[in-house]
Each structure stands twice: as structure tokens, then as C-alpha cells.
Amino acid sequence: MGTERITGKTGLLALLGSPVGHSASPAMHNYSFDKLGLDYVYVAFDVPEEKVPDALNAVRTFHMRGVNVTMPDKIAAAKNVDELSPAAKIIGAVNTIVNENGKLVGHITDGVGFNENLRDHGVEVKGKKITVVGGGGAATAIEVQSALDGAREISIFNRKDKFFSRIQETAEKIMAEVPDCKVNVIDLEDREAFKREILDSDILVNATIVGMKPMDDKSVVDDMSVFHEGLVVADTVYNPLETKLLKDAKDHGCKVVNGKGMLLWQGVAAFKLWMGVDMPVDEVKAKFFAE
């Protein structure tokens, strides 16, 4: 992107989260604006959770078209927008905000992005049992979307922290919305249950920041015996591209799916919400997401 593109009328979009320095979102969106001749730029702002209300006030003040929101800001963002999409309301988190003339509308595209990424790797969630580690916005979006897409059972593991009761409430909401999908919420400290559920699952998902730099020497799995034949292991972390979890899983014969494609597909959905036109997906995929 050349500076000659920026004018007095150039619109601004951004990523909010912490850390954000590793994000591929600015390159992806700015490339798309260039390709489509759209007068916008996309930047990244490091915003700690307690500063989210200030950041969203700035979105209004600067007449920004919108923002993406990443960890750890997704829940705080949902509490500070003016309106939530139906999915975001169930989930209680947002990853995309659209500024509709001063009214901030929060959406969640993480679940769609995750499942589209699985499909891109030949994996469908319909009829499958899925174990998900994590209780944040991305995890919840994946759980909700997987249930809507036909998963038969979802086991959610999280520490018994301040979010645990909210995860249980979300599980009840999912089962009310999709009665054919059984949802279990289990303490991550119960390692026997963790092992049992993974061994009984078709797909294992890490939706925590464990494995992300600077925690790239860590994994949510410490017992290699859980990696069984036919298990698909997916990570929402994409820096590094191959997390310790994925490396261990691949070494034990599992199909693995990294988190970079999820970023592409959730970005495709966000781009459409802001711009009203489709991102040039094939070009973006070839330039930034070739594996």
C-alpha cells in the first residue's frame, strides 16, 4: 500500500486487541482495498481490555467504518456496543463492529470462519463429536456455529474461573436452540475426563491462547495417548503457524488444521459487513494464506 493512496477522505478501519503486532489482518484488508479501489486503510491498535470503552468512543469520534476485535477484548466490546447481532447476543462476544452512522453494531464471525477453514481442509462438523478447550469469545463462537452446522456432541473444557458459569449458561442456550446437539461443560483440571472425551471425539479444538507466542513452547495437551486414529486437531492460534499442539498431533498421525485459514474466512465475513462487497478471496488466499 503506497502513501499516495491516503487522502483527506480516506476511511479508517482497525484491529483492537492485545497483543496485535503479529496480526495478518492489516495486510489482508489493505491488499483487498487496493485490489477493489476502495478508499480505506486498516491499522492495528494495542488495546488492553480495560481501555475498550475508550477505544469504541474513538471509533465514533473518528467516524471509523468499523473494527475487528481480538483477544482479550471480545467480551468487553460486546458490552460496550449499541446493538448485537443475534449470534453475538447468544455468545456475549464480538469480533467485528460496524459503525452505522454513530451506532456501533457488534457481530461475531469467528465460528463461521473456523468451520469454513475446516471445510477448506476437507473436514465437516456435521454428525461429529467435538472437544473444545477454552471459554472465551472465539471458543463460544465455534461451539455455537458447530451446533448450528450439525455437530452431534460438544465437550467444552475450561478452568473453573469466573467464566465457568457463563460457559454453562451458553451450553444451555445452545441445547435450547439446537436440541439434537448435546453439550458438556467440564473442568479442565479433570485430566481423566479430558483424556476420555478426546479419545471419544472426531475433532479437538484449541481455542485458548496457549501455544501463541510467547507461550509457543506450551500445549493444552500433555498426554500424547489422546492422539488417536481419525482425530482432527485444529488450533485457533496462527502465530506460530504450527503450534506445539499441532506438531505433537501430526507426529502422532492426526490430521491438523492451523488457525490461519480461520483468520481468512472470518475476515471475508467482516469485510462484507463493512464494505457490502466480497473480498477478492482467491487472490488474498494465494498471497497470504498459501501453505
Side-chain angles (χ1 to χ4, degrees):
M1 180 186 67
T3 54
E4 68 278 358
R5 260 197 62 224
I6 298 173
T7 71
K9 294 180 180 178
T10 301
L12 178 63
L13 293 110
L15 172 67
L16 311 180
S18 186
V20 291
H22 63 278
S23 177
S25 292
M28 174 173 72
H29 287 292
N30 287 316
Y31 175 80
S32 298
F33 296 147
D34 266 345
K35 278 284 174 188
L36 299 177
L38 297 169
D39 191 12
Y40 287 89
V41 293
Y42 184 113
V43 296
F45 294 124
D46 196 301
V47 178
E49 194 173 2
E50 67 274 12
K51 293 289 187 181
V52 167
D54 293 345
L56 295 187
N57 282 333
V59 171
R60 296 184 183 92
T61 301
F62 297 155
H63 303 290
M64 294 172 66
R65 178 62 182 134
V67 291
N68 279 136
V69 185
T70 190
M71 296 181 283
D73 295 347
K74 295 180 179 185
I75 293 169
K79 293 175 180 173
N80 286 279
V81 294
D82 303 304
E83 190 177 302
L84 292 170
S85 71
K89 199 174 290 184
I90 292 173
I91 292 162
V94 302
N95 77 325
T96 302
I97 297 172
V98 182
N99 184 357
E100 302 287 5
N101 300 313
K103 181 176 78 171
L104 301 188
V105 183
H107 300 262
I108 189 88
T109 66
D110 282 330
V112 172
F114 181 82
N115 285 353
E116 286 295 334
N117 188 31
L118 286 183
R119 287 189 188 101
D120 227 18
H121 288 80
V123 180
E124 286 287 343
V125 301
K126 187 173 184 179
K128 304 288 175 60
K129 177 171 178 175
I130 305 170
T131 290
V132 181
V133 186
T140 311
I142 289 165
E143 292 145 16
V144 169
Q145 196 63 46
S146 294
L148 292 170
D149 286 354
R152 64 179 169 82
E153 187 172 354
I154 303 169
S155 290
I156 306 165
F157 282 85
N158 200 73
R159 293 191 314 277
K160 278 206 168 177
D161 57 15
K162 61 182 179 178
F163 298 117
F164 199 79
S165 61
R166 185 179 57 78
I167 298 166
Q168 292 173 314
E169 289 168 16
T170 302
E172 294 297 328
K173 287 180 186 175
I174 293 171
M175 287 189 286
E177 187 71 28
V178 189
D180 289 341
C181 183
K182 182 184 178 188
V183 184
N184 317 296
V185 181
I186 307 167
D187 184 359
L188 187 56
E189 296 300 313
D190 187 344
R191 303 309 282 184
E192 281 304 310
F194 190 50
K195 179 177 180 178
R196 182 184 67 241
E197 291 302 304
I198 298 173
L199 287 171
D200 192 41
S201 291
D202 303 292
I203 302 170
L204 169 64
V205 182
N206 173 41
T208 75
I209 59 173
V210 176
M212 180 189 288
K213 289 180 180 179
M215 291 188 288
D216 47 328
D217 61 336
K218 294 180 168 54
S219 170
V220 293
V221 170
D222 52 19
D223 181 350
M224 300 299 111
S225 70
V226 302
F227 295 127
H228 60 88
E229 187 179 349
L231 180 69
V232 175
V233 180
D235 211 321
T236 60
V237 172
Y238 56 88
N239 185 34
L241 205 54
E242 184 178 69
T243 58
K244 186 176 188 304
L245 171 67
L246 296 188
K247 184 180 187 308
D248 289 343
K250 188 167 76 175
D251 288 347
H252 288 80
C254 295
K255 182 183 181 77
V256 299
V257 180
N258 68 51
K260 204 170 184 186
M262 177 182 173
L263 176 70
L264 166 66
W265 291 105
Q266 65 84 13
V268 168
F271 191 91
K272 185 68 176 276
L273 286 168
W274 295 322
M275 299 292 109
V277 296
D278 291 323
M279 180 184 281
V281 181
D282 291 342
E283 289 112 309
V284 169
K285 194 174 176 184
K287 186 168 179 65
F288 299 106
F289 296 91
E291 292 177 18

